[in-house]
């Protein structure tokens, strides 16, 4: 392993949303970045078009001080066993952007490796865009295994390289990151939000209101509220909505998120904590994803999707390209440690 933790050689395995953003940000921050992908695949072609000399995953892992595993969760265990573990040099650092496989025992890293996590709290496109304009997406980081005594510094160095340390990275654990991330996705951000939207739309349409008007009220305008929450929390939302909306929020919100809903959230969290969800998802993937594909197709074929597609066709502003950002400044030094609450 190189003795200079400030500029380690980094292998990025995977070139999806997060992989591409990490690779580009790290390169722009002055790091030696190798991208490891299956030769001839679509992501390999994309990485080459971005100027990377693409290697096989084994070649990239063998030559790196930090190996960042940014492939889909269910692909990682086999990739680690068959490619990464045999290739990584002794004393190198294994890095993940999500703790799922380590936390649930699907990957048991070699004892000689440092094992860390750096997880930006946003999708890859946002990680890249915020970096390009000189800002950064907040991130959390964790140390699972500190063999070298420098694992935390390596995590913070990587975090700074992708722009995450610009927002004061928060130290967490693999357990906390994994369980809170899964809960957020299932109960609020994805599962909760999409089912709430669909149920609201269905309620209005079944009551005889126009599907288009129901779409605007239950889906389209959600962005306006989420933007206010994102910018300044519930306080800012209350500043910008009418008193009528506020009164409806305060008195009718509990009709929807009632004791039953809270009990269901606790059930979701329990199934994450005791491994029930992980076992179900691992078994589903191993069986070919039949149920997953059927459930996803039902979401894609929900009537609100056809209405939305038609309405968005008239929203010309959605087709406008984003403004070109100015050149990004050099990444700052790693942030000081900040403990999670």
């Amino acid at each position: 392993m190189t003795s200079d933790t400030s500029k380690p050689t980094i292998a990025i395995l995977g070139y999806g949303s997060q992989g591409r953003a990490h690779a580009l940000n790290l390169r722009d921050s002055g790091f030696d970045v190798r991208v490891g992908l299956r030769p001839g695949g679509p992501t390999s072609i994309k990485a080459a078009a971005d100027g990377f000399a693409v290697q096989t995953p084994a070649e990239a892992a063998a030559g790196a001080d930090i190996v960042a595993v940014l492939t889909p969760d269910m692909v990682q265990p086999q990739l680690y066993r068959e490619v990464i573990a045999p290739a990584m040099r002794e004393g190198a650092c294994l890095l993940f952007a999500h703790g799922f496989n380590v936390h649930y025992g699907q990957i048991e890293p070699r004892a000689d490796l440092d094992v860390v996590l750096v997880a930006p709290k946003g999708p890859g496109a946002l990680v890249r865009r915020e970096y390009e304009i000189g800002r950064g997406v907040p991130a959390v980081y964790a140390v699972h295994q500190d063999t070298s005594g420098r694992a935390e510094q390596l995590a913070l160095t990587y975090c700074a390289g992708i722009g995450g340390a610009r927002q004061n990275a928060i130290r967490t654990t693999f357990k906390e990151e994994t369980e809170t991330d899964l809960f957020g996705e299932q109960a609020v951000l994805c599962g909760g939000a999409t089912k709430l939207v669909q149920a609201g739309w269905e309620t209005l349409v079944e009551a005889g209101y126009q599907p288009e008007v129901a779409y605007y009220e239950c889906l389209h305008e959600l962005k306006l509220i989420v933007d206010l929450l994102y910018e300044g929390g519930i306080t800012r939302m209350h500043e910008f909505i009418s008193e009528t909306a506020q009164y409806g929020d305060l008195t009718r919100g509990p009709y929807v998120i009632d004791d039953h809903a809270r009990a269901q959230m606790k059930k979701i969290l329990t199934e994450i904590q005791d491994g029930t969800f992980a076992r179900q998802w691992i078994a589903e993937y191993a069986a070919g994803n039949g149920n997953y594909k059927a459930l996803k197709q039902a979401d894609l074929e929900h009537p609100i999707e056809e209405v939305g597609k038609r309405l968005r066709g008239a929203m010309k502003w959605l087709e406008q390209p984003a403004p070109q950002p100015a050149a990004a400044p050099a990444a700052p030094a790693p942030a000081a440690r900040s403990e999670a609450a």
Side-chain angles (χ1 to χ4, degrees):
M1 180 119 180
T2 180
S3 60
D4 181 10
T5 58
S6 65
K7 289 295 180 183
T9 299
I10 300 173
I12 300 293
L13 306 186
Y15 206 72
S17 174
Q18 288 290 342
R20 182 173 186 268
H22 290 213
L24 291 171
N25 289 6
L26 289 163
R27 184 176 66 183
D28 289 350
S29 293
F31 289 87
D32 179 1
V33 179
R34 290 94 185 273
V35 176
L37 299 168
R38 178 173 56 85
T43 56
S44 178
I45 295 170
K46 189 172 186 178
D50 285 336
F52 290 102
V54 181
Q55 301 174 315
T56 67
E59 290 170 340
D65 301 317
I66 298 175
V67 177
V69 186
L70 302 177
T71 57
D73 289 334
M74 294 299 102
V75 173
Q76 291 179 12
Q78 183 179 0
L79 180 66
Y80 176 76
R81 290 192 304 269
E82 297 180 1
V83 177
I84 299 173
M88 283 185 71
R89 65 175 66 162
E90 184 176 353
C93 179
L94 184 63
L95 182 146
F96 296 90
H98 182 36
F100 185 98
N101 283 303
V102 171
H103 178 54
Y104 291 116
Q106 300 305 295
I107 292 177
E108 297 183 3
R110 283 176 10 205
D112 65 283
L113 301 174
D114 287 336
V115 182
V116 303
L117 176 148
V118 175
K121 305 314 292 178
L126 184 64
V127 171
R128 179 59 179 163
R129 185 165 68 247
E130 288 294 293
Y131 177 92
E132 287 183 299
I133 61 178
R135 301 188 304 220
V137 171
V140 298
Y141 74 96
V143 175
H144 175 74
Q145 199 164 279
D146 185 9
T147 302
S148 70
R150 299 173 294 179
E152 181 175 19
Q153 182 59 39
L154 287 167
L156 285 169
T157 297
Y158 184 100
C159 190
I162 64 172
R166 296 171 178 172
Q167 299 296 329
N168 190 25
I170 297 174
R171 178 159 180 165
T172 182
T173 63
F174 273 60
K175 178 181 187 297
E176 183 177 62
E177 186 278 333
T178 301
E179 294 178 356
T180 57
D181 186 78
L182 293 175
F183 178 82
E185 292 170 349
Q186 295 171 24
V188 181
L189 305 176
C190 302
T194 56
K195 295 310 175 189
L196 182 65
V197 165
Q198 289 173 345
W201 183 86
E202 290 167 359
T203 300
L204 288 177
V205 172
E206 289 169 5
Y209 298 101
Q210 295 180 69
E212 295 81 4
V213 174
Y215 175 88
Y216 283 133
E217 293 300 333
C218 295
L219 191 154
H220 177 81
E221 290 193 38
L222 181 62
K223 180 185 185 304
L224 308 178
I225 300 302
V226 169
D227 283 349
L228 293 173
L229 294 171
Y230 178 80
E231 292 165 5
I234 295 171
T235 299
R236 185 169 177 82
M237 183 201 72
H238 279 298
E239 290 173 357
F240 283 86
I241 63 175
S242 70
E243 289 184 336
T244 302
Q246 291 180 58
Y247 181 73
D249 165 8
L250 297 169
T251 62
R252 267 54 178 182
Y255 286 12
V256 179
I257 307 304
D258 58 6
D259 289 343
H260 172 72
R262 291 176 183 274
Q264 293 299 96
M265 286 186 176
K266 290 180 180 178
K267 180 181 179 181
I268 288 172
L269 182 57
T270 298
E271 291 184 351
I272 290 169
Q273 292 171 327
D274 67 16
T276 299
F277 170 77
R279 290 190 294 272
Q280 289 177 347
W281 174 219
I282 292 165
E284 173 70 23
Y285 186 86
N289 278 335
N291 185 53
Y292 160 79
K293 291 175 182 176
L295 292 171
K296 181 177 178 179
Q297 192 60 36
D299 246 12
L300 299 179
E301 293 176 355
H302 190 282
I304 196 173
E305 289 300 286
E306 180 57 36
V307 174
K309 183 179 180 181
R310 186 171 69 253
L311 291 175
R312 289 190 299 271
M315 300 178 190
K316 299 304 179 184
W317 64 88
L318 296 178
E319 302 171 7
Q320 294 176 358
Q324 292 301 310
R337 173 172 167 170
S338 174
E339 296 294 342

